Amino acid sequence: MASSSLLLACVVVAAMVSAVSCGPPKVPPGPNITASYGDKWLEAKATWYGAPKGAGPKDNGGACGYKDVDKAPFLGMNSCGNDPIFKDGKGCGSCFEIKCSKPEACSDKPALIHVTDMNDEPIAAYHFDLSGLAFGAMAKDGKDEELRKAGIIDTQFRRVKCKYPADTKITFHIEKASNPNYLALLVKYVAGDGDVVEVEIKQKGSEEWKALKESWGAIWRIDTPKPLKGPFSVRVTTEGGEKIIAEDAIPDGWKADSVYKSNVQAK
């Protein structure tokens, strides 16, 4: 009986090991993609999610906290990025060109995309999970549906500066839970580097800039025992080190769940 039990145990363990090791091998992430620009193309895997011609998430949101990725200036040309692209939210808003040459439906012409969401599938050092619309944009004319049927494809990508229409300015959304002692600020539509690594605020009449902490995605927060009273200015620092000051961007009498458009933009 003892030997039979041992044999049975060995079979069970072997089955468990086999189950754990099945499926494609996990690929470690590549080095972080930084705010450096050039002509070099890197290799990546690309997939797509959401509606075939949609912006990605069903609610047009994502892990960056943006709530309108189907509208201008993103216009649905969005992507999830894996760890070295999303960077725990510090990659939110960054822009990339991505293209494919295989399968036959690929145009080999770059499509411009924005990082608005995250993925953690370990299928490649760099992985873009694109919106259906963005994935189809890599195809030859009339071949977008055919390309989407390919599933996982090999692509080439490079980081580029974000460029928006002249009337697009850095915009702030004050999150729903905000109150005079707690401010959560979503920063979006930053041109140039696109992503943000530091956010500070300064109340009217004060010389002190107060640093906000990363909350999640592109949302930054501050807790303060002394109530915040508007108007206050916002200073945003991009990954490349550019500092942009939006004077009196948040008005007196500001309200939670409100959007405030500044009059400034990154270079």
Side-chain angles (χ1 to χ4, degrees), residues 56-73:
K58 289 182 179 179
D59 62 355
N60 295 311
C64 287
Y66 306 137
K67 301 164 180 67
D68 44 15
V69 297
D70 58 324
K71 298 181 174 61

Side-chain angles (χ1 to χ4, degrees), residues 26-33 42-47 63-64 79-92 94 96 113 115-130 157:
K26 293 183 178 181
V27 180
N32 280 1
I33 300 298
L42 300 175
E43 301 295 319
K45 295 287 187 184
T47 51
C64 287
S79 182
C80 300
N82 68 335
D83 289 348
I85 298 166
F86 184 76
K87 296 181 291 190
D88 288 328
K90 280 195 168 74
C92 288
S94 55
F96 292 85
I113 59 171
V115 174
T116 59
D117 206 347
M118 68 167 287
N119 73 71
D120 54 8
E121 297 175 15
I123 65 171
Y126 300 108
H127 174 204
F128 291 90
D129 195 15
L130 300 157
F157 76 98

